[in-house]
Amino acid sequence: MTAARVKLVVSVLVSLFALRLLLSGVDLPALLLAWSRMTAPGLLLALALLAAGYALRVARWWWMLLAFEPRLRWRDCATPFLASIALNNVLPLRAGDAVRAFAFRDALRLPPATLLGSVLLERLLDLAMLLVLFFAGASLVRGGGLPPGLAATAQALAAAAVGALVLLPLAGPAVARRLAGPTSEGTGWKARTGRIATDLLASFSLLRSPRRAALLLPMTALIWLLEGAVFAAVAAELAPGTPAAAGWFAMTTGTLATLLPSTPGYVGTFDYFTMLGFSAFGLDRAAATAISLSVHAILWAPVTALGLVLLVLHGGRDAIRARARASEGALT
């Protein structure tokens, strides 16, 4: 069995186990009662917050890429970004990230390695901001409200994220030059590796620019404040009286859980840890489960549908084939 298949099997087993933990002992009538409280205005508010958050995510990526291709427009980045999220939601192994870099390289007029580097920078910025919000929320949770080891794991992730965000902008260019050596203009493997490393690490140089960093960091904060507002809006509908901070804290626990192996769309893992986040603020199991499943559906369905439609309009079959080329290491 190949490594990819092993990872897929493990991911499915983890998702099934998380679903079992989520649904075991849930009072079905109480779950249905919570769902019955959802209103059309509440749903529309959650969708509007979601749309605003994704518009800002596209704008952040566009702002990154403008440093390398000044002719890009926001709308040029919208289809690649949303299509990649949709594919990540339905295909294993985060295939959408590879499609974003390889299928749209001509439309974006940038090397795949630069595009992959921008995705990596996105992930690290998001991780760092999520951890800031996690610790802010955890400070409001009463003793015993969090599972043992969760805070320690978050601290380790925080150290790794901060270290990467500090070291990669500072040391990245030197590492790339060292890999390339004096033959960076040649065609040998060392020169090619150096060029790929240079393109891959180029996005992190954005954080060395006060002007770029001064916008990327607040944009990242606003992105996650908007996403947390989706959680809070749904919670206000299904469990009136839920503490406002619970939505943002549950967002961090559920989103950080997507780092675990799981099926496409993070079935089970996202839902279980989102439920734990709400439970830490005193919500009963049925209400917390209803909110977690509802938020997951709101986050997953509209973006996936829109992204797949945009991908088909762009030429979906060619985009999927580009993922196969990506697996062969065609980074230049």
Side-chain angles (χ1 to χ4, degrees), residues 288-301:
T289 300
I291 297 168
S292 69
L293 292 172
S294 299
V295 167
H296 198 169
I298 290 170
L299 294 179
W300 185 89

Side-chain angles (χ1 to χ4, degrees), residues 140-182:
L140 303 176
V141 176
R142 294 189 299 272
L146 293 176
L150 187 58
T153 302
Q155 289 173 352
L157 286 172
V162 171
L165 286 171
V166 171
L167 290 176
L168 286 174
L170 295 176
V175 171
R177 286 194 300 270
R178 186 173 181 83
L179 286 172

Side-chain angles (χ1 to χ4, degrees), residues 95-110:
D97 292 345
V99 169
R100 196 196 313 188
F102 289 87
F104 297 96
R105 58 187 296 183
D106 294 333
L108 297 170
R109 301 181 292 276
L110 286 168

Side-chain angles (χ1 to χ4, degrees), residues 60 121-135 154 157-163 165 217 220-221 224 252 256:
R60 180 182 62 173
L121 178 57
E122 277 180 1
R123 297 285 189 269
L124 285 172
L125 286 171
D126 288 341
L127 178 59
M129 187 56 60
L130 280 168
L131 289 164
V132 168
L133 294 173
F134 171 84
F135 288 116
L157 286 172
V162 171
L165 286 171
L217 297 177
T220 301
W224 289 105
T252 67
L256 289 171

Side-chain angles (χ1 to χ4, degrees), residues 26-121:
V26 173
D27 183 352
L28 182 58
L31 185 70
L32 296 176
L33 176 61
W35 274 330
S36 71
R37 298 191 182 105
M38 177 62 77
T39 65
L43 178 59
L44 289 175
L45 174 60
L47 291 173
L49 291 167
L50 178 69
Y54 269 92
L56 192 57
R57 287 176 188 270
V58 174
R60 180 182 62 173
W61 191 47
W62 170 58
W63 180 247
M64 291 181 190
L65 299 185
L66 275 178
F68 309 105
E69 177 46 78
R71 294 172 295 172
L72 281 178
R73 299 164 296 180
W74 181 91
R75 65 184 184 185
D76 296 328
C77 300
T79 292
F81 186 92
L82 294 172
S84 72
I85 299 298
L87 289 175
N88 281 342
N89 284 344
V90 297
L91 295 177
L93 307 177
R94 294 188 180 270
D97 292 345
V99 169
R100 196 196 313 188
F102 289 87
F104 297 96
R105 58 187 296 183
D106 294 333
L108 297 170
R109 301 181 292 276
L110 286 168
T114 298
L115 297 173
L116 286 175
S118 69
V119 173
L120 180 57
L121 178 57

